[in-house]
Amino acid sequence: GVAIQMDAVTIRYNTRTGPVHALGPIDLDIAAGEFVSIIGPSGCGKSTTSKVVSGLLKPSAGEARVGGERITKPPQSMGIVFQDSLLMDWRTVLQNVLLPADMRKRPKKESVATAMELLASAGLAGFEEKRPYELSGGMRQRVAICRALLLEPELLVMDEPFGALDALTRDRMGLELQRIWMERRPTVLLITHSISEAVLLSDRIIVMSGRPGTIIADYQVETPRPRE
Ligand code: ADP
Ligand code: ADP
């Protein structure tokens, strides 16, 4: 995993009616390999924070670093899942999962094998040749999660990845994420509305609140979890 640092990061969105101060200043230090959840009410800046870490939003003030480097673009080894992740309808399910490998010109055979395994563990065996529009919303979200995991990223940024899933699938994907984390120790930033999910999966829970959003609490999760 890679470390994340935010020093006095502030975000102002430019809107037609002028700048909107949406976030911060916030200070945040996440160690390499840490599994961190962010919870907090709607509008407190959770998505905004995840976009800064993903390099999709540049701080209006302050500095954000991943792996010690100032973030200027989406980091190479990052998997990202948003609540409504976009899949390409002209590509098959398998081709969608393979997208990050295609973009980095990874060996085809190996990538296909990994993609098939991920799809199977996500309960999507047999759907490899379907198109995204033939799948349910929950299934599409699982495809997006598989795509994010394909290259075993050093950093996983997930903004309510399980929000649209039914309870059973949500639990299953949560456990799959935990298994991957235990095996490879990526740094994980998970935004969730579910406190139980945060407690079950993460090392640390950050609570945000307010407009502009700030960090109001930062807990280490003490619950013993299976390791190794
Ligand atoms: P969530 O709680 O899931 O983040 P929001 O309703 O806060 O949902 O925002 C959904 C998306 O809509 C955000 O990711 C953001 O890009 C966009 N958005 C939210 N508020 C505004 C706004 N005031 N002006 C423009 N876009 C916005
Ligand atoms: P959360 O994810 O916690 O729901 P967001 O990060 O989506 O919060 O939003 C934080 C604040 O920034 C909200 O007040 C929202 O309306 C505003 N906001 C989010 N995206 C945009 C945008 N693209 N333009 C203007 N305001 C935005």
Side-chain angles (χ1 to χ4, degrees):
V2 288
I4 299 168
Q5 278 129 17
M6 290 199 180
D7 293 325
V9 166
T10 303
I11 293 288
R12 277 180 225 96
Y13 288 106
N14 293 313
T15 69
R16 254 168 301 173
T17 53
V20 173
H21 184 178
L23 182 74
I26 61 167
D27 296 311
L28 179 60
D29 254 302
I30 296 175
E34 209 169 12
F35 193 136
V36 176
S37 292
I38 300 183
I39 61 174
S42 211
C44 70
K46 303 181 299 295
S47 295
T48 301
T49 303
S50 76
K51 284 173 190 165
V52 172
V53 172
S54 334
L56 301 176
L57 260 184
K58 189 176 160 302
S60 315
E63 191 171 278
R65 290 186 299 276
V66 162
E69 309 260 330
R70 186 198 278 259
I71 306 167
T72 53
K73 58 177 192 307
Q76 269 277 321
S77 181
M78 179 182 64
I80 185 161
V81 184
F82 289 119
Q83 194 163 13
D84 302 298
S85 288
L86 290 176
L87 300 175
M88 295 173 175
D89 272 339
W90 62 91
R91 288 182 148 229
T92 65
V93 163
L94 179 63
Q95 286 167 344
N96 268 281
V97 176
L98 287 171
L99 195 72
D102 293 348
M103 282 164 53
R104 311 252 160 77
K105 305 200 163 39
R106 294 291 174 92
K108 190 83 184 175
K109 221 169 124 187
E110 205 176 295
S111 303
V112 169
T114 308
M116 299 289 282
E117 270 173 41
L118 281 168
L119 284 167
S121 71
L124 291 168
F127 289 89
E128 295 86 354
E129 299 308 319
K130 299 269 189 214
R131 308 275 161 175
Y133 55 79
E134 297 178 273
L135 274 50
S136 73
M139 292 166 93
R140 283 201 297 274
Q141 189 63 0
R142 280 180 274 159
V143 174
I145 295 169
C146 291
R147 180 177 63 188
L149 296 175
L150 183 74
L151 297 184
E152 303 186 4
E154 292 284 311
L155 171 61
L156 256 174
V157 177
M158 310 183 107
D159 189 350
E160 290 180 46
F162 311 133
L165 304 180
D166 64 88
L168 187 67
T169 310
R170 190 160 52 217
D171 287 354
R172 193 149 20 98
M173 293 308 291
L175 291 174
E176 178 63 14
L177 174 60
Q178 191 173 49
R179 190 184 64 73
I180 285 167
W181 177 75
M182 284 195 287
E183 274 180 22
R184 299 164 195 158
R185 295 296 164 129
T187 306
V188 181
L189 190 66
L190 173 70
I191 293 172
T192 175
H193 273 129
S194 164
I195 294 174
S196 57
E197 189 175 284
V199 171
L200 180 72
L201 297 176
S202 40
D203 287 322
R204 182 174 166 198
I205 299 175
I206 288 168
V207 185
M208 293 181 64
S209 183
R211 285 169 194 256
T214 54
I215 294 172
I216 59 160
D218 190 337
Y219 300 101
Q220 220 54 44
V221 178
E222 303 289 350
T223 319
R225 284 177 296 124
R227 281 175 195 271
E228 260 62 65

